[in-house]
Amino acid sequence: MADDTQTPRSSPVLQLLASGLQFWIRQQCEAVDSLELQLHGSSLGLLRGRLDGVSLVARGVVYSSLEIERVELRSDAIEVQVGNLLRGKAVQLDQPFQIEGSVVFSAGGLGRSLCTPHWRPLGDQLVDGLLGLTPLQSVSIERDQLVLQAQDQRCATVPRAVDGGLQLCGVEGRPCVSLPSDPNIEIRDANLEGGVLQLHGRARVSP
C-alpha cells in the first residue's frame, strides 16, 4: 500500500486537505493498493471554500465489488468545508462535482467481479443475451476481443461506447448487448488494448 500526495510544500492547509481527501477516497472503496493525489488551487482559494480540482492515479482498486486495475481521474472545481477540516474533523464535500478520466480492467479482474453476488446477475445477463445460455463461467481477452464463456459455448465481443453507455457487440453475427447505464456516468470511448479493457468518460459525483 502506498500514498504519494503532491501538494505545494508551503501550503500546510492543502496538505491537510490532501490527507483528508485520501481518507475520504479510501472510505468509498473496499481496497486501494496505491494512490497518488495532486491538488490544484491555492491556500487562499481553499480558505474561501474552493479547490480548483484534484488529479489522482490509483491502482488495485476494488469499488462496489468491482476490481479495477488502474484509475486516472481529474476533477472540476470542488467546494470544501474548510472549517471542519481545520478543527480536526473529517473532510466534508457538500456539492456534487464532475470528474473525467479513464479506468482499466484486466480479464481476471472482470471475471472475478462478475462472479461475485453483486455482479453475477449482470454476467449472466450478458451471456444470456449473447449466447442464450447461463451462467457465465469465464472472461478472457484474446486478440483484442473480450471473450465470454457459458457452459461449453464461447462468444468473442468488441466493446463500444454508444450514447454514453457501453455495449458488448458479438462478432461473427452475434448480437450486441447493452450494459445497464447510470445517468451520472457518460462513457465516451471503450477499447481493448494490451490485454486490458479501457473505458474513458465523465461522471458526476454526489458526496
Side-chain angles (χ1 to χ4, degrees):
M1 182 182 298
D3 289 303
D4 183 8
T5 304
Q6 301 178 30
T7 56
R9 293 182 180 179
S10 60
S11 178
V13 177
L14 282 173
Q15 292 175 358
L16 182 62
L17 175 60
S19 297
L21 283 174
Q22 279 194 356
F23 180 72
W24 182 80
I25 291 169
R26 289 186 177 278
Q27 278 190 315
Q28 312 307 307
C29 302
E30 289 138 54
V32 179
D33 285 348
S34 68
L35 176 62
E36 302 168 17
L37 188 69
Q38 184 174 7
L39 305 187
H40 307 283
S42 64
S43 295
L44 179 59
L46 181 59
L47 290 173
R48 293 173 176 170
R50 178 185 173 89
L51 186 67
D52 290 343
V54 177
S55 299
L56 70 85
V57 178
R59 298 173 178 83
V61 177
V62 180
Y63 175 76
S64 190
S65 300
L66 185 63
E67 294 187 27
I68 307 172
E69 291 294 306
R70 180 183 173 92
V71 180
E72 293 189 37
L73 300 175
R74 169 68 189 258
S75 80
D76 290 344
I78 301 175
E79 295 184 21
V80 182
Q81 286 196 9
V82 184
N84 287 341
L85 185 66
L86 295 177
R87 289 192 289 270
K89 297 182 180 180
V91 64
Q92 187 170 352
L93 307 175
D94 287 340
Q95 300 298 320
F97 56 93
Q98 300 286 332
I99 58 174
E100 187 167 351
S102 63
V103 292
V104 176
F105 302 91
S106 69
L110 281 174
R112 288 187 294 271
S113 299
L114 291 173
C115 287
T116 63
H118 185 86
W119 295 105
R120 178 171 287 280
L122 174 60
D124 290 346
Q125 177 185 335
L126 292 176
V127 289
D128 186 38
L130 292 164
L131 293 167
L133 299 170
T134 59
L136 173 70
Q137 290 181 313
S138 68
V139 177
S140 60
I141 296 176
E142 304 172 12
R143 300 191 184 99
D144 292 335
Q145 295 177 339
L146 188 66
V147 181
L148 285 71
Q149 179 169 339
Q151 300 182 31
D152 59 347
Q153 300 292 318
R154 290 158 49 93
C155 180
T157 69
V158 176
R160 294 178 182 172
V162 179
D163 297 330
L166 180 64
Q167 282 188 350
L168 293 183
C169 291
V171 299
E172 300 178 355
R174 299 283 187 179
C176 291
V177 176
S178 297
L179 278 73
S181 60
D182 186 326
N184 293 313
I185 298 175
E186 178 189 2
I187 297 175
R188 296 178 173 176
D189 185 49
N191 62 78
L192 289 166
E193 184 177 348
V196 296
L197 170 64
Q198 302 180 57
L199 303 180
H200 304 264
R202 188 173 178 85
R204 182 176 186 269
V205 179
S206 298

